Amino acid sequence: MPTGSSIQRSVRQQRVRYLKGPVCQRREERFSSHITSLKVPMFPRLALCSRLPSRSWQSTVRGYSQTKFPHSHGRALVHRSEFRQARRIVVKLGSAVVTRGDEGGLALGRLASIVEQVAVLQNQGREMMIVTSGAVAFGKQRLRHEILLSQSVRQALHTGHNQLKEMAIPVLEARACAAAGQSGLMALYEAMFTQYSTCTAQILVTNLDFHDEQKRRNLSSTLHELLRMNIVPIINTNDAVIPPPLPNSDLQGGNVISIKDNDSLAARLAVEMKADLLIALSDVEGLYDSPPGTDNAKLIDIFYPGDQQSITYGSKSRVGMGGMEAKVKAALWALQGGTSVVIANGTHPKVTGHVITDIVDGKKVGTFFSEVKPAGPTVEQQAEMARSGGRVLASLLPEERGEIIFRLAELLTEKKEDILSANKRDMDLARASGSLSLQLLNRLSLSTSKLNSLAIGLRQIAVSSRDSVGRVLRRTRVANNLELEQVTVPIGVLLVIFESRPDCLPQVSALAIASGNALLLKGGKEAAHTNKILHQLTQEALSIHGIQDAIQLVSTREDVEDLCRLNKLIDLIIPRGSSELVRNIQHAAKGIPVLGHSEGICHVYIDSEASIDKAIDIIKDSKCDYPSACNAMETLLIHRDLLRTPMFDQIIDMLRAEEVKIHAGPKFASYLTFSPSEVKSLRTEYGDLECCIEVVDSMQDALDHIHKYGSSHTDVIVTENEETAEQFLQQLDSACVFWNASTRFADGYRFGLGAEVGISTARIHARGPVGLEGLLTTKWVLRGEGHTVADFSEQGTMKYLHENIPVSQRILS
């Protein structure tokens, strides 16, 4: 039988194997430091865990719970985002979660990770309960060890030497295993929860505890009292006294574990205790529309009670008495009783460390059981509809795609009163809420002049669309009668996420139409009314050729992070908004490329040979024309020789007149007796009437500064020396480099692209303002007459020619 110290070592070893990364490393250090400090075996030590937290700490937690998690039981939660308000949560650990993959014992590292998540939520002020399997598994491990030890001793005594024969292990009865394993399982939970100052209590139940009214009241009273005292109840069926299960293959042989299913217990307990949320962890991702592993099986994000007739169930878990059908029935029963349910995978090493906290945080994990079915399609369905419509869009003639865009431009003018009315409603709501800054309000606002500019830009895109999809870039005669072409094609399905910029919707839609791409649009809620009417007009234009589905507006309450995980449905993500939004999306995107830039730290360098008039005009326009734009100047670099000159004084006077707040760089501050506030960082995007001024010794010094502190967006040199300017333009590694021109020219419309989906600072694919060309990729088309590679071998009759053929201007349809 394992000793306390051996279990300690096993817990540490399993946890090290299972968890990776800095966060998990800190968990392991905390867990290991406590275990190694024990001077006695683990099990006697567990008596210390019976100490309750101080009364003052309990009061703090209870008060936090009441204020932060106000959800009162009575109806099931409708949307995942409401999980953040869940106060009472039941976590059910399935047999496959608790046991190791080799079915030789408990998955100690996995359990330790789950315990930490439960403890974190408990210490937030929530009321956590665990329904666990594992007693039979732990007992079987202990009994097998005891049997092997006993047999080896008897055999050694019988034979008189140490050459032992192979010993057969009898079939172990499940109830005996449960009796032997329950105390050890609970001791293990106690040891793990102790590391987080969290106390636990064990409760064993049978069906009689629910069917007998007095026993049910007693059980409920006990659980409520434990929760009141901030204790985590750990509940299991009393497998030592329940009737034995029907014979099955799980009980044949000594290396297979058979564990009683706890799905119905978790559902009954959740309803009885009026829990807000039941999280059922198993060894599958959730519920699929067909058995997992079969072709085209898709994970169901939200399951509704009326959908069960369309589901085909696969085989049950490798361990346990139930399968997915039993889990679904239990989940629906709990849902009917007012408890929300999520079934998710608790065995995957990459997600187990945060699966429970992710679910409570509202992230799209597993299958969510809901009584309320949304009126519209899910975002996954929208993506599939967009891809289907996008394929038809890409097959249209260039003139037909241009016709759609021309019609959209007309609608912006014809329906401008409706658009401005919807925009006024958004503006009024934003001002009343006070949630938007002045810069964001300016971005949200539309005007007649803005709509007219949008229409002009869309017409430019319509013209350029005639030479986009299907354009032959290269032709090669590989061999006689074997010709190769490189042809432009759409990327696929684009996801564009934008904040407070409703004018972005028609611009991006026109570019998607011109390039033959399907499009998912996710706008900010602050522009909901404006986005809705602009999308309606876009669909009206698309209806000319019956392809309204090609562009979808995501109006469901999907978190951006969930959208970024749809790597099988989305081919490119384009964020349009703050640097924080772009960074978050770049971090959240799972296997989907992101086109954009996280910062717009643009520089203007005033050379010693600059024109004073050009310098003042360029600085003023770059900083003051639109301070919150990503192409606005953030740092002004001034050649050292210009300090204490009339030019420098005029620059400072102009900035003060424009009410620009100046932050001094370190070198600039060293020249001044009374300097402005010194800059906290030379890598700052202010997005307002603020800028940093720094001094450089030369053009090369300016280049070094920009390469070190810039964001590769847009940088400018102001000088009359052509040689100096050309060196700057050639040596600076930014997406846009200008000579004697404002940074504000870094824009797709001003470049003649009609519009842009954003500005990219990446070093592959599109860079700078990304217009129509940046939304195209290529494919290779080979035309032959029965050619085979064998024809070109040493024994073959053909030879490669690889001759370039002049490219015709024809467009492949």
Side-chain angles (χ1 to χ4, degrees):
M1 173 176 156
T3 64
S5 59
S6 68
I7 292 180
Q8 295 170 39
R9 289 194 301 272
S10 181
V11 168
R12 291 199 301 271
Q13 292 166 358
Q14 290 289 335
R15 190 159 169 77
V16 168
R17 294 191 195 105
Y18 190 77
L19 299 174
K20 303 292 183 183
V23 174
C24 296
Q25 183 178 356
R26 290 194 296 272
R27 298 173 185 160
E28 172 61 21
E29 289 170 354
R30 182 166 64 244
F31 189 81
S32 298
S33 63
H34 182 87
I35 292 295
T36 55
S37 68
L38 301 182
K39 305 301 182 183
V40 294
M42 179 184 288
F43 292 167
R45 172 73 171 172
L46 296 176
L48 297 178
C49 194
S50 63
R51 295 178 299 176
L52 296 179
S54 66
R55 181 62 57 186
S56 61
W57 189 81
Q58 289 183 60
S59 300
T60 302
V61 171
R62 293 279 72 78
Y64 183 74
S65 173
Q66 292 167 3
T67 56
K68 187 169 183 179
F69 312 115
H71 182 262
S72 59
H73 189 85
R75 65 167 181 84
L77 302 172
V78 174
H79 193 267
R80 288 180 184 265
S81 61
E82 296 177 337
F83 292 170
R84 300 184 183 103
Q85 303 301 319
R87 178 177 179 180
R88 185 168 291 171
I89 302 172
V90 175
V91 177
K92 183 260 177 181
L93 304 180
S95 309
V97 176
V98 177
T99 60
R100 295 206 310 259
D102 60 5
E103 302 180 10
L106 299 180
L108 299 180
R110 190 184 301 150
L111 279 178
S113 176
I114 290 171
V115 163
E116 177 170 16
Q117 295 174 76
V118 173
V120 166
L121 295 172
Q122 176 81 4
N123 291 335
Q124 287 178 356
R126 304 178 197 268
E127 297 174 340
M128 305 297 296
M129 292 178 281
I130 294 178
V131 175
T132 182
S133 303
V136 175
F138 199 21
K140 174 166 284 191
Q141 185 182 27
R142 295 177 65 183
L143 291 179
R144 290 182 71 246
H145 184 275
E146 185 66 31
I147 292 171
L148 287 172
L149 181 62
S150 175
Q151 288 182 346
S152 64
V153 170
R154 286 196 301 269
Q155 194 176 117
L157 291 174
H158 179 72
T159 61
H161 52 79
N162 292 328
Q163 295 181 353
L164 305 181
K165 299 178 181 179
E166 184 177 349
M167 294 169 285
I169 300 176
V171 175
L172 299 175
E173 204 275 327
R175 286 178 294 179
C177 292
Q182 189 62 51
S183 61
L185 176 65
M186 189 61 202
L188 185 62
Y189 274 122
E190 285 272 14
M192 291 179 175
F193 273 108
T194 299
Q195 316 314 312
Y196 308 100
S197 301
T198 302
C199 294
T200 58
Q202 177 186 19
I203 298 180
L204 298 177
V205 298
T206 65
N207 285 332
L208 293 178
D209 296 313
F210 289 96
H211 293 300
D212 184 277
E213 185 62 27
Q214 184 60 46
K215 289 185 176 181
R216 190 171 71 171
R217 285 199 299 266
N218 292 342
L219 173 61
S220 178
S221 176
T222 300
L223 288 170
H224 278 95
E225 182 63 14
L226 291 173
L227 294 177
R228 187 188 68 81
M229 293 188 293
N230 199 38
I231 295 175
V232 176
I234 298 180
I235 305 103
N236 196 359
T237 53
N238 192 349
D239 293 336
V241 299
I242 62 171
L246 295 176
N248 61 72
S249 58
D250 284 345
L251 293 178
Q252 306 303 314
N255 293 322
V256 182
I257 301 171
S258 178
I259 300 177
K260 180 66 177 177
D261 178 58
N262 274 327
D263 292 310
S264 60
L265 169 61
R268 282 174 171 243
L269 181 72
V271 173
E272 181 71 25
M273 294 300 295
K274 296 182 171 57
D276 301 312
L277 177 62
L278 166 60
I279 300 174
L281 298 183
S282 183
D283 59 350
V284 293
E285 303 297 328
L287 186 62
Y288 286 78
D289 57 2
S290 57
T294 60
D295 292 339
N296 301 319
K298 294 180 181 178
L299 180 67
I300 298 174
D301 173 36
I302 305 179
F303 185 72
Y304 307 98
D307 292 346
Q308 61 263 38
Q309 300 301 324
S310 61
I311 299 299
T312 302
Y313 298 102
S315 59
K316 71 179 187 67
S317 167
R318 61 176 174 82
V319 288
M321 296 302 296
M324 184 54 72
E325 186 172 8
K327 291 175 176 58
V328 170
K329 288 180 178 179
L332 292 174
W333 191 88
L335 182 66
Q336 187 178 12
T339 296
S340 300
V341 183
V342 173
I343 296 177
N345 192 335
T347 63
H348 198 294
K350 291 185 178 180
V351 300
T352 300
H354 47 81
V355 60
I356 299 173
T357 51
D358 279 355
I359 290 172
V360 175
D361 196 39
K363 295 180 181 178
K364 190 176 288 187
V365 179
T367 298
F368 167 42
F369 287 71
S370 175
E371 291 182 314
V372 180
K373 195 168 187 175
T378 65
V379 67
E380 290 84 0
Q381 291 171 333
Q382 284 187 290
E384 291 175 349
M385 292 162 60
R387 186 179 293 279
S388 177
R391 289 181 176 134
V392 179
L393 173 64
S395 69
L396 296 179
L397 295 173
E399 294 78 10
E400 293 173 322
R401 289 193 296 272
E403 184 183 2
I404 296 173
I405 301 170
F406 274 123
R407 179 55 185 153
L408 179 56
E410 292 173 354
L411 289 170
L412 292 180
T413 304
E414 293 175 6
K415 303 291 186 178
K416 67 179 179 180
E417 296 302 328
D418 295 336
I419 298 171
L420 295 177
S421 176
N423 184 246
K424 182 179 182 302
R425 187 175 177 186
D426 286 329
M427 291 291 293
D428 291 343
L429 290 172
R431 290 192 185 100
S433 67
S435 58
L436 297 184
S437 65
L438 179 60
Q439 287 73 26
L440 291 180
L441 282 173
N442 290 336
R443 290 186 177 185
L444 177 60
S445 175
L446 292 181
S447 63
T448 300
S449 61
K450 273 191 177 182
L451 292 177
N452 290 337
S453 296
L454 276 174
I456 294 171
L458 262 58
R459 293 186 181 98
Q460 291 178 346
I461 296 173
V463 173
S464 62
S465 69
R466 296 170 182 171
D467 188 25
S468 56
V469 180
R471 179 161 49 93
V472 179
L473 301 178
R474 175 180 177 179
R475 298 185 67 193
T476 302
R477 181 176 289 108
V478 179
N480 289 330
N481 299 318
L482 185 64
E483 293 188 2
L484 178 69
E485 290 181 337
Q486 185 182 19
V487 184
T488 58
V489 293
I491 290 175
V493 178
L494 313 177
L495 168 62
V496 177
I497 303 170
F498 54 101
E499 294 177 323
S500 305
R501 289 286 298 271
D503 57 330
C504 174
L505 193 152
Q507 288 179 337
V508 174
S509 297
L511 288 169
I513 294 168
S515 58
N517 284 290
L519 180 60
L520 286 179
L521 293 158
K522 175 65 173 176
K525 61 182 179 181
E526 65 279 353
H529 299 95
T530 315
N531 289 338
K532 182 178 180 181
I533 188 171
L534 289 174
H535 179 250
Q536 288 173 348
L537 297 179
T538 303
Q539 290 204 307
E540 182 176 340
L542 289 166
S543 67
I544 294 175
H545 294 286
I547 49 173
Q548 296 92 320
D549 287 348
I551 296 180
Q552 300 280 331
L553 179 63
V554 179
S555 56
T556 57
R557 296 167 61 182
E558 299 288 338
D559 286 338
V560 169
E561 187 170 341
D562 290 330
L563 293 174
C564 293
R565 294 176 177 174
L566 301 178
N567 59 321
K568 294 183 179 180
L569 298 173
I570 295 170
D571 300 298
L572 179 66
I573 301 175
I574 305 173
R576 294 288 304 271
S578 66
S579 58
E580 181 182 4
L581 170 72
V582 179
R583 283 194 299 269
N584 290 340
I585 290 174
Q586 288 173 334
H587 181 264
K590 305 298 182 183
I592 310 175
V594 178
L595 187 151
H597 64 283
S598 59
E599 293 175 308
I601 304 174
C602 303
H603 296 75
V604 173
Y605 164 56
I606 308 300
D607 185 56
S608 59
E609 299 181 63
S611 161
I612 185 170
D613 293 333
K614 292 178 183 178
I616 290 176
D617 288 345
I618 289 171
I619 294 170
K620 181 179 179 180
D621 189 73
S622 296
K623 179 72 261 185
C624 306
D625 177 64
Y626 196 169
S628 61
C630 64
N631 58 9
M633 181 194 77
E634 304 295 2
T635 298
L636 174 61
L637 299 177
I638 297 180
H639 194 284
R640 180 186 57 189
D641 294 345
L642 297 179
L643 292 178
R644 301 185 179 91
T645 66
M647 176 185 288
F648 176 77
D649 294 339
Q650 290 184 46
I651 291 173
I652 298 299
D653 290 342
M654 180 274 295
L655 291 174
R656 287 174 176 168
E658 296 294 329
E659 299 181 347
V660 177
K661 183 178 180 180
I662 297 173
H663 301 274
K667 292 179 67 174
F668 181 43
S670 68
Y671 285 96
L672 305 175
T673 304
F674 300 100
S675 69
S677 61
E678 189 165 341
V679 67
K680 296 180 180 179
S681 170
L682 290 169
R683 192 179 285 110
T684 301
E685 183 178 15
Y686 297 99
D688 205 343
L689 284 173
E690 298 181 60
C691 74
C692 167
I693 296 180
E694 182 60 310
V695 174
V696 291
D697 295 332
S698 63
M699 185 272 291
Q700 186 60 50
D701 195 16
L703 287 174
D704 293 341
H705 179 102
I706 295 171
H707 283 145
K708 184 174 183 179
Y709 298 109
S711 60
S712 301
H713 191 296
T714 301
D715 300 290
V716 172
I717 182 173
V718 181
T719 185
E720 296 302 301
N721 188 314
E722 183 176 354
E723 182 180 352
T724 301
E726 288 300 328
Q727 290 180 10
F728 183 91
L729 298 177
Q730 294 300 320
Q731 296 179 28
L732 186 59
D733 184 22
S734 295
C736 299
V737 286
F738 301 161
W739 174 24
N740 288 345
S742 168
T743 59
R744 294 279 291 124
F745 279 103
D747 176 83
Y749 173 75
R750 298 183 180 107
F751 278 12
L753 305 179
E756 66 182 34
V757 294
I759 294 181
S760 172
T761 55
R763 285 168 170 76
I764 57 174
H765 188 50
R767 198 166 188 227
V770 180
L772 178 58
E773 292 292 331
L775 299 181
L776 295 171
T777 184
T778 63
K779 70 178 178 182
W780 296 91
V781 179
L782 185 66
R783 294 181 175 88
E785 294 183 359
H787 293 76
T788 66
V789 172
D791 295 334
F792 297 88
S793 65
E794 292 183 1
Q795 294 76 31
T797 58
M798 303 192 71
K799 294 185 179 298
Y800 289 110
L801 299 177
H802 295 147
E803 298 173 350
N804 291 330
I805 304 173
V807 175
S808 65
Q809 296 303 311
R810 68 188 179 92
I811 303 293
L812 299 180
S813 59

